[in-house]
């Protein structure tokens, strides 16, 4: 292979690493679930709206990951003792300037894809879009970075649960009614998504504390972190099994996600039995599979 070919391949791998593909299900699964809810509760869904929402959501997630990579490096949060996957800025694979530029390009593209959604959904979607674009940077940057103030878990639950699912449902139906089923489904997927950041933060808690990145895990310690992770993984299954068959008659929506339940139980067991270490990267990957699998099964259960 020529030197140019090797360099090009290295560049592609760098940017794939930077956007963190394994995290992107947190952006597209809620869009799928919101569309499935629209189909179940109102009998129809709009494929064009779903595609635009999917593209915008993915690009906002990519921008958030890129800004996080560059800003954590600039703030010294990604040091030599980092236990997590390689970060392209901290490792010198890409400059902070290049990563920032890629983040702003991603946000610009998200805005472009979001224009049809604003036209369709009006002022509520415009407001949600503005907040989402702002917090893609504000999650790690700005005067009040959420990730450094212990608000990251709440941010993920709201934006990758309630807002992503509810916003997609609203775009598809022009209403949030019936509100309770939407809230239940959005909470399920939001809690599973929050488990990802909880595991990530517990793994990095010692380093975060040294670098004044005061996540909930860094603030409240190991016992809290283990209880939080277990609750976030297990409770959504209990919630769905208790709600969907009883209140909506949707046995498939309650039971199908239970196929992912053993995986959630095993992750919880491993978190209680192991201290933060590089092994937590495996726990995080399996939690990502749990979120993806349970979200897909819940969506399928909605339309059966």
């Amino acid at each position: 292979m020529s030197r140019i070919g090797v360099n090009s391949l290295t560049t592609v791998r760098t940017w794939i690493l930077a956007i963190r593909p394994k995290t992107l299900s947190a952006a597209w699964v809620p869009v799928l679930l919101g569309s499935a809810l629209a189909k179940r509760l109102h009998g129809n869904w709009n494929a064009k709206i779903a595609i635009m929402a999917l593209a915008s959501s993915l690009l906002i997630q990519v921008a958030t990951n890129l800004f996080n990579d560059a800003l954590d490096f600039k703030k010294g949060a990604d040091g030599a003792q980092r236990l997590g996957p390689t970060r392209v800025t901290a490792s010198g694979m890409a400059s902070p300037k290049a990563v920032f530029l890629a983040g702003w390009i991603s946000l610009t593209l998200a805005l472009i894809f979001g224009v049809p959604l604003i036209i369709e959904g009006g002022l509520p979607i415009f407001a949600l879009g503005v907040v989402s674009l702002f917090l893609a940077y504000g999650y790690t940057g700005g005067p009040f970075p959420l990730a450094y103030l212990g608000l990251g878990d709440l941010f993920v639950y709201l934006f990758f649960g309630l807002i992503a699912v509810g916003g997609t449902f609203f775009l598809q139906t022009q209403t949030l009614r019936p509100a309770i089923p939407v809230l239940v489904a959005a909470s399920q997927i939001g809690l599973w998504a929050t488990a990802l950041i909880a595991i990530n933060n517990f793994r990095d808690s010692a380093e975060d504390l040294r670098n004044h990145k005061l996540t909930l895990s860094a603030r409240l310690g190991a016992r809290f972190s283990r209880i939080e992770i277990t609750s976030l993984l297990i409770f959504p299954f209990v919630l769905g099994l208790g709600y969907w068959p009883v209140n909506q008659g949707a046995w498939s929506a309650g039971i199908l996600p239970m196929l992912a339940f053993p995986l959630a139980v095993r992750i919880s067991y491993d978190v209680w039995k192991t201290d933060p270490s590089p092994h937590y990267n495996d726990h995080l990957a399996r939690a990502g599979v749990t979120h993806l699998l349970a979200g897909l099964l819940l969506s399928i259960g909605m339309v059966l």
Side-chain angles (χ1 to χ4, degrees), residues 2 29-30 49 73 102 197 213 228 245 258 263 298:
S2 69
V29 170
I49 292 298
F73 168 70
I197 191 174
K213 185 177 182 179
E228 180 193 21
M258 293 299 295
L263 185 55
L298 180 57

Side-chain angles (χ1 to χ4, degrees), residues 198 202 216-218 220-230 271:
F202 186 30
L216 283 183
S217 185
L220 300 177
R223 181 174 177 81
F224 166 83
S225 299
R226 290 185 169 105
I227 292 172
E228 180 193 21
I229 291 166
T230 301
V271 165

Side-chain angles (χ1 to χ4, degrees), residues 209-274:
L209 193 57
R210 287 193 299 269
N211 293 309
H212 309 290
K213 185 177 182 179
L214 300 179
T215 63
L216 283 183
S217 185
R219 289 174 182 269
L220 300 177
R223 181 174 177 81
F224 166 83
S225 299
R226 290 185 169 105
I227 292 172
E228 180 193 21
I229 291 166
T230 301
S231 301
L232 292 169
L233 286 170
I234 301 301
F235 179 68
F237 292 101
V238 178
L239 177 63
L241 194 59
Y243 179 79
W244 292 108
V246 174
N247 293 282
Q248 291 290 318
W251 286 93
S252 55
I255 293 174
L256 271 183
M258 293 299 295
L259 294 173
F261 183 70
L263 185 55
V265 171
R266 181 53 193 265
I267 298 165
S268 300
Y269 174 83
D270 288 343
V271 165
W272 279 94
K273 291 298 181 180
T274 59

Side-chain angles (χ1 to χ4, degrees), residues 56-168:
S56 186
S57 181
L58 282 170
L59 286 162
I60 290 173
Q61 174 66 30
V62 166
T64 303
N65 289 345
L66 292 168
F67 289 138
N68 177 256
D69 193 302
L71 287 165
D72 271 352
F73 168 70
K74 292 188 72 173
K75 294 180 179 186
D78 285 341
Q81 295 179 316
R82 176 178 170 77
L83 300 177
T86 302
R87 293 289 177 253
V88 300
T89 314
S91 65
M93 298 169 68
S95 69
K97 182 178 180 180
V99 176
F100 270 124
L101 177 60
W104 289 118
I105 290 173
S106 298
L107 276 192
T108 301
L109 291 172
L111 178 60
I112 291 171
F113 280 105
V115 169
L117 303 179
I118 294 170
I119 294 172
E120 181 74 21
L123 186 59
I125 297 302
F126 173 76
L128 288 179
V130 169
V131 173
S132 298
L133 292 171
F134 173 76
L135 289 181
Y137 179 83
Y139 178 75
T140 315
F144 303 104
L146 300 180
Y148 285 72
L149 298 174
L151 297 174
D153 306 60
L154 179 62
F155 165 82
V156 171
Y157 171 69
L158 291 175
F159 277 84
F160 294 101
L162 301 190
I163 291 175
V165 175
T168 302

